[in-house]
Amino acid sequence: MGIFEQMAERGHEQLVFSHDSESGLRSIIALHDTTLGSALGGCRMRDYPTEAEAVDDALALSWGMTAKSAITRTNHGGGKAVIWGDPKTDKTEILLRAFGRFVEGLHGRFLTGTDMGTTGEDFVVAGQETDWLVGLPEYAGGSGNTSVTTAHGVWHGIRAGASHLWGSDDLRGKTVAIQGVGKVGEYLAELLDEAGCELIVSDVDGEAVERVVTAHGARAVDPADIYDVECDVFSPCALGGVLNEDTIGRLRCQIIGGAANNQVTDPEIGHRLHEMGILYIPDYIINAGGLIQVADEVEGFNRERAMKKTEALYQLLLDCFARAEELSVTPFEAADRLVEERINILGAVSRIYLPRR
Ligand code: NAD
């Protein structure tokens, strides 16, 4: 499929390819929809096998950001940047500053910050060239690491799922299998342990697993075996695309709720999970805590307010499950409809002319 066809398929507004021969920067900024405000989304740096995969990631992730911003009412649109390169070997000051200049050139149509392969420190460097950044470290005037807020959102989301499915959000005695105990997964493990859950964890990083086993008495399994474990909740907190043809038949859980973006790449998989009686909590709602934090930073950061807004994901999910039942659709379809409705309603308001100040 050609690039314009791909943009038309998901309704993308703009795709910005930037290149700097000095630093070797190759970046793609995808702006999906700015009806609700400036596009907000992280910058991922990854050594994609092909250019097409870099484009596809930017398009898919920016679509997800529109949905996440709309449903959490943060008054932003959706965007995402990808830098095509190896974060371990290709990241230099010149590359980051060149990227900052290209972001600056969009004059606030796009605000960005950390994602996989980039850190808050990288944006302190890029920040010498642009003001349109979020998620900066606290010493640089930002709101700092978003993973604690994201983990809190996932925790409230799992409780909402439990309340909907089991009639109580008390997770005591429930078994939760966490795939990936990195920044979000490790903190989520702490919250679940405090709530009296049994934990099963997997990670390709042996040290990360060891920390959670020691601190929270988790049982470790091989990364390849996490789909087969008997559990109440499966929490994908590592990679996207993990719910697919090869994995869903192996799952032995009742709820799926985790931090990873785009856990399901094909909507058909979402239907199959629904038919299997598994409650799949829409990823772009349950993992919205980080977005809520950085959107709050744009307003002038207040951690208490950001946490309160993140707690509200619990009620948002209950409303979404109720809507799904009312319409006889999956929770994911109900969430997509809520997104569409909000964009249409607020898009209509912007038809009212306001003179420039
Ligand atoms: P992270 O890089 O700190 O942690 C990811 C962990 O997954 C790492 O420990 C890594 O070793 C592990 N991992 C990689 N491949 C694996 C595999 N095949 N099996 C098991 N473990 C594997 O990232 P994070 O910040 O904890 O984010 C986790 C996920 O949540 C990512 O997909 C991220 O995009 C998403 N997310 C994060 C935030 C946030 O605020 N950090 C917000 C929204 C979404």
Side-chain angles (χ1 to χ4, degrees):
M1 207 190 285
I3 286 181
F4 277 113
E5 275 174 287
Q6 288 182 65
M7 290 176 74
E9 192 182 42
R10 286 179 277 197
H12 286 80
E13 284 176 15
Q14 195 177 7
L15 205 53
V16 184
F17 287 76
S18 306
H19 174 251
D20 173 48
S21 25
E22 207 51 56
S23 62
L25 172 75
R26 294 171 298 181
S27 72
I28 303 164
I29 297 174
L31 304 187
H32 174 250
D33 188 309
T34 57
T35 309
L36 301 181
S38 53
L40 179 59
C43 170
R44 177 169 291 192
M45 183 163 183
R46 197 179 147 197
D47 199 5
Y48 292 97
T50 63
E51 182 180 285
E53 281 164 85
V55 172
D56 198 50
D57 215 21
L59 291 173
L61 290 165
S62 60
W63 173 88
M65 293 309 296
T66 296
K68 213 184 279 200
S69 284
I71 208 150
T72 55
R73 306 188 166 217
T74 53
N75 295 328
H76 282 282
K80 201 87 181 186
V82 302
I83 296 178
W84 185 14
D86 185 336
K88 289 204 177 80
T89 51
D90 299 336
K91 205 190 281 175
T92 59
E93 178 189 349
I94 309 296
L95 178 137
L96 292 167
R97 290 180 71 155
F99 176 71
R101 285 193 158 236
F102 288 122
V103 171
E104 183 64 23
L106 292 170
H107 300 290
R109 258 175 72 67
F110 177 57
L111 288 98
T112 194
T114 59
D115 194 84
M116 273 164 60
T118 57
T119 66
E121 308 301 322
D122 295 338
F123 289 97
V124 174
V125 176
Q128 294 172 85
E129 309 295 339
T130 181
D131 293 330
W132 303 108
L133 299 176
V134 288
L136 290 167
E138 279 158 308
Y139 76 82
S143 65
N145 189 341
T146 54
S147 8
V148 170
T149 319
T150 302
H152 264 279
V154 175
W155 150 246
H156 287 299
I158 292 175
R159 287 176 53 244
S163 168
H164 175 72
L165 204 63
W166 302 320
S168 163
D169 61 14
D170 184 356
L171 297 177
R172 187 170 307 275
K174 300 289 183 197
T175 301
V176 183
I178 309 178
Q179 179 184 45
V181 279
K183 295 186 293 294
V184 177
E186 184 176 1
Y187 195 63
L188 177 65
E190 188 179 326
L191 295 171
L192 292 166
D193 182 25
E194 276 168 19
C197 295
E198 301 293 322
L199 299 177
I200 302 173
V201 298
S202 77
D203 198 299
V204 289
D205 176 348
E207 282 177 24
V209 170
E210 205 42 54
R211 272 200 305 274
V212 179
V213 167
T214 309
H216 307 296
R219 173 160 74 88
V221 296
D222 194 82
D225 298 333
I226 192 76
Y227 303 103
D228 305 307
V229 299
E230 177 113 37
C231 58
D232 298 294
V233 181
F234 173 54
S235 185
C237 294
L239 309 164
V242 293
L243 303 174
N244 55 49
E245 286 293 343
D246 299 332
T247 59
I248 61 166
R250 294 163 57 188
L251 294 174
R252 293 155 77 200
C253 62
Q254 292 182 58
I255 294 177
I256 300 172
N261 287 308
N262 300 345
Q263 292 165 28
V264 161
T265 41
D266 176 355
E268 181 48 32
I269 298 286
H271 284 282
R272 296 253 305 280
L273 289 169
H274 193 61
E275 283 160 14
M276 288 161 70
I278 296 178
L279 175 64
Y280 169 42
I281 304 178
D283 50 7
Y284 64 74
I285 305 182
I286 194 170
N287 74 9
L291 167 82
I292 290 171
Q293 174 174 323
V294 295
D296 197 89
E297 185 179 329
V298 178
E299 310 289 318
F301 186 55
N302 178 314
R303 186 166 299 280
E304 207 182 324
R305 182 175 57 202
M307 281 301 195
K308 274 256 167 277
K309 287 185 192 165
T310 302
E311 264 173 53
L313 294 176
Y314 180 99
Q315 188 57 47
L316 179 58
L317 280 165
L318 290 185
D319 294 346
C320 176
F321 301 143
R323 183 79 183 275
E325 281 188 349
E326 189 192 314
L327 300 173
S328 301
V329 296
T330 67
F332 218 103
E333 287 168 309
D336 283 355
R337 288 193 200 188
L338 289 169
V339 167
E340 211 173 297
E341 279 167 19
R342 184 157 171 83
I343 292 176
N344 288 343
I345 291 166
L346 285 177
V349 170
S350 65
R351 283 179 318 187
I352 301 166
Y353 174 73
L354 270 181
R356 294 186 93 146
R357 272 186 274 178

